[in-house]
Amino acid sequence: MRLLRDDALESGDVRLGTRFWIFPQPPFIPGYEQPDRVWLSIARDEIGAGPSDPTMYVVDAVYDKQPYGFNRFPPFDGARRPPARPGPDRHFDNLDPASRPFLAVHAYACVRFVLDIWRSYLGRPIRWFFDQTFPRLEIVAFVDWDNAQAGYGFLELGCSGIGGIKRPYALNFDTIAHEVGHLIMLSETGVPSGISRDDDFFSFSEAFSDAVSLISFLHFDSAIDRLLRRTKGNLLLYNELNRFAETSPETQIRVATNFRQMSAVTREVHDRALPFVGAIFDSIVDLYHRDLVANGCADSSLLDFDLRDLARDEFDRFRQATAEAFRVKPLIFKRALTEARDAIGQALALSLRTLDPNTLTLAQAASAIIAKADGAAAERLETNFVWREIIGSR
Ligand SMILES: [Zn+2]
């Protein structure tokens, strides 16, 4: 009998998806020097050189390109470098990560990876908000400019220039995921018209994009493993672990572990987004704790008080207990974290369509997320949005 004989598998079924390398954090971050091999959902016969597919394509300019904006829009019509090509098996994991074409391939893979996750939360494909004008998203792999931006029909990636070493944002999953977050949000809420620069829409957009980056990052198995092993399963980032947060190599976690409340922020959009991002992260950690307690991996007293006020000896006791449980059953911790991540991610995604971009307030956005969350998640979100002074207590 040849039960497992499958011609499609043997010849490498093109419909199974396409392999890429992604660095979950930029490769200069200690512990993240090696990329992860990921399977993206797009079939190999739907993806061409560039890479390019029916919804997006990457360009890499030969000469310095001016960033888009004002009156400059895609498509790019200057001289392009030769498009990156897949290997003979039509997968894109054939390129040297130090090579120039890898920038294009990595940027593409990051965008697709994030879209795969958020499409799954939404339960349907994301239609670009600009698709009446530009059918496809243009990803510009490299611009000599210390910024990254997503806009009408494009996502372009510059480089950071700290210490004289240029570090392309094309290798920075965090930055790319954040920019894709902006595109997802606009595609779901629609584009606001006639609102001013300090409307809450922009702060929410920053908060949502940071949450997209954080939650998408938590979809790398290797990243979750590293995070849990380093902390021995203890994501309680307050007190002692606040130091962990500040020195955490994961950019997303540094941003999300903040103590800011609305009474302590300015009108500047990124500053004003911080309490919202904090509430999202706290809710993930709270749900994670509930799951650990339910599975006998943490003491139930953990759920009884505000963790921000945890005394030193209580914290130490908790840390010791979770470390012991983590040594024995790490998979419980991993499952707890992925379920918490998805409960919050899904509520965030589903809330978007219920928001009016022209009148949006942070309080409305918070309420919309709570409304789309299930019991325990809704309760934790509400408590955390209240503590952050984004909504009043009900
Ligand atoms: Zn942003």
Side-chain angles (χ1 to χ4, degrees):
M1 276 201 344
R2 298 190 328 203
L3 276 178
L4 289 173
R5 161 96 197 192
D6 182 331
D7 286 335
L9 275 179
E10 286 198 353
S11 62
D13 186 344
V14 294
R15 312 299 307 174
L16 287 177
T18 312
R19 282 197 316 261
F20 285 83
W21 293 111
I22 295 184
F23 288 102
Q25 296 283 296
F28 59 84
I29 302 282
Y32 288 94
E33 296 85 353
Q34 298 299 323
D36 281 19
R37 191 181 251 127
V38 298
W39 280 84
L40 300 178
S41 66
I42 185 159
R44 276 175 281 163
D45 57 359
E46 286 176 24
I47 176 169
S52 62
D53 67 38
T55 58
M56 65 183 87
Y57 61 95
V58 189
V59 298
D60 194 3
V62 175
Y63 308 108
D64 275 356
K65 174 190 169 299
Q66 289 292 311
Y68 287 131
F70 304 108
N71 52 2
R72 279 191 300 274
F73 287 99
F76 176 68
D77 58 3
R80 301 176 181 199
R81 290 170 194 267
R85 295 187 179 281
D89 56 4
R90 295 172 75 179
H91 289 292
F92 276 87
D93 55 356
N94 60 321
L95 291 159
D96 174 359
S99 67
R100 176 77 183 217
F102 185 79
L103 293 183
V105 173
H106 189 265
Y108 173 89
C110 292
V111 174
R112 270 254 155 248
F113 184 81
V114 174
L115 287 176
D116 275 2
I117 293 163
W118 291 82
R119 180 188 60 190
S120 171
Y121 288 147
L122 287 164
R124 54 185 153 69
I126 293 153
R127 274 191 58 181
W128 301 127
F129 63 93
F130 45 77
D131 70 353
Q132 297 299 312
T133 317
F134 304 112
R136 298 196 294 167
L137 174 73
E138 181 178 291
I139 301 167
V140 182
F142 187 83
V143 185
D144 194 1
W145 177 52
D146 186 3
N147 207 347
Q149 62 170 352
Y152 210 80
F154 63 86
L155 188 166
E156 60 184 346
L157 301 162
C159 58
S160 62
I162 306 158
I165 305 166
K166 284 190 177 166
R167 288 176 165 151
Y169 288 122
L171 295 181
N172 191 320
F173 177 79
D174 170 40
T175 301
I176 297 171
H178 177 97
E179 295 305 323
V180 175
H182 283 305
L183 296 175
I184 293 171
M185 180 174 155
L186 285 167
S187 296
E188 289 293 308
T189 63
V191 180
S193 55
I195 63 172
S196 78
R197 188 58 210 165
D198 60 25
D199 263 293
D200 269 5
F201 178 85
F202 296 103
S203 301
F204 177 63
S205 182
E206 292 308 325
F208 178 79
S209 298
D210 279 342
V212 165
S213 180
L214 172 70
I215 288 170
S216 303
F217 168 70
L218 291 175
H219 276 263
F220 291 104
D221 274 354
S222 68
I224 288 198
D225 284 346
R226 238 169 301 195
L227 183 62
L228 291 177
R229 283 182 202 167
R230 202 172 66 248
T231 60
K232 298 190 175 71
N234 189 334
L235 296 186
L236 196 53
L237 302 170
Y238 307 106
N239 305 330
E240 168 79 1
L241 268 177
N242 200 25
R243 263 188 279 141
F244 154 77
E246 282 168 12
T247 58
S248 168
E250 294 86 3
T251 318
Q252 295 92 332
I253 289 173
R254 284 202 303 279
V255 172
T257 49
N258 71 75
F259 298 98
R260 307 293 288 280
Q261 293 171 296
M262 292 308 289
S263 53
V265 295
T266 63
R267 293 296 306 180
E268 195 278 321
V269 287
H270 296 89
D271 202 40
R272 204 170 150 74
L274 287 175
F276 208 102
V277 186
I280 296 294
F281 185 73
D282 289 352
S283 301
I284 294 175
V285 173
D286 285 354
L287 289 176
Y288 169 75
H289 286 153
R290 281 180 65 106
D291 203 318
L292 293 187
V293 169
N295 284 288
C297 295
D299 192 278
S300 64
S301 64
L302 185 62
L303 308 178
D304 295 343
F305 40 82
D306 185 339
L307 297 175
R308 284 168 280 254
D309 300 332
L310 204 61
R312 179 66 199 225
D313 58 333
E314 291 162 329
F315 178 78
D316 285 345
R317 195 160 47 80
F318 168 66
R319 181 172 57 183
Q320 201 176 351
T322 47
E324 279 163 25
F326 183 69
R327 206 164 34 241
V328 180
K329 33 188 178 179
L331 294 183
I332 303 287
F333 286 71
K334 189 169 179 178
R335 192 191 61 199
L337 184 52
T338 56
E339 287 182 0
R341 167 200 78 192
D342 291 340
I344 301 298
Q346 182 139 38
L348 261 172
L350 295 177
S351 72
L352 294 177
R353 281 261 172 116
T354 68
L355 299 173
D356 179 346
N358 293 310
T359 57
L360 178 69
T361 64
L362 287 175
Q364 282 169 2
S367 298
I369 296 165
I370 295 167
K372 290 293 181 186
D374 292 337
E379 190 254 325
R380 292 325 305 160
L381 284 161
E382 175 160 353
T383 302
N384 288 315
F385 281 128
V386 168
W387 188 83
R388 297 283 175 168
E389 304 171 338
I390 292 165
I391 57 174
S393 51
R394 309 170 193 198

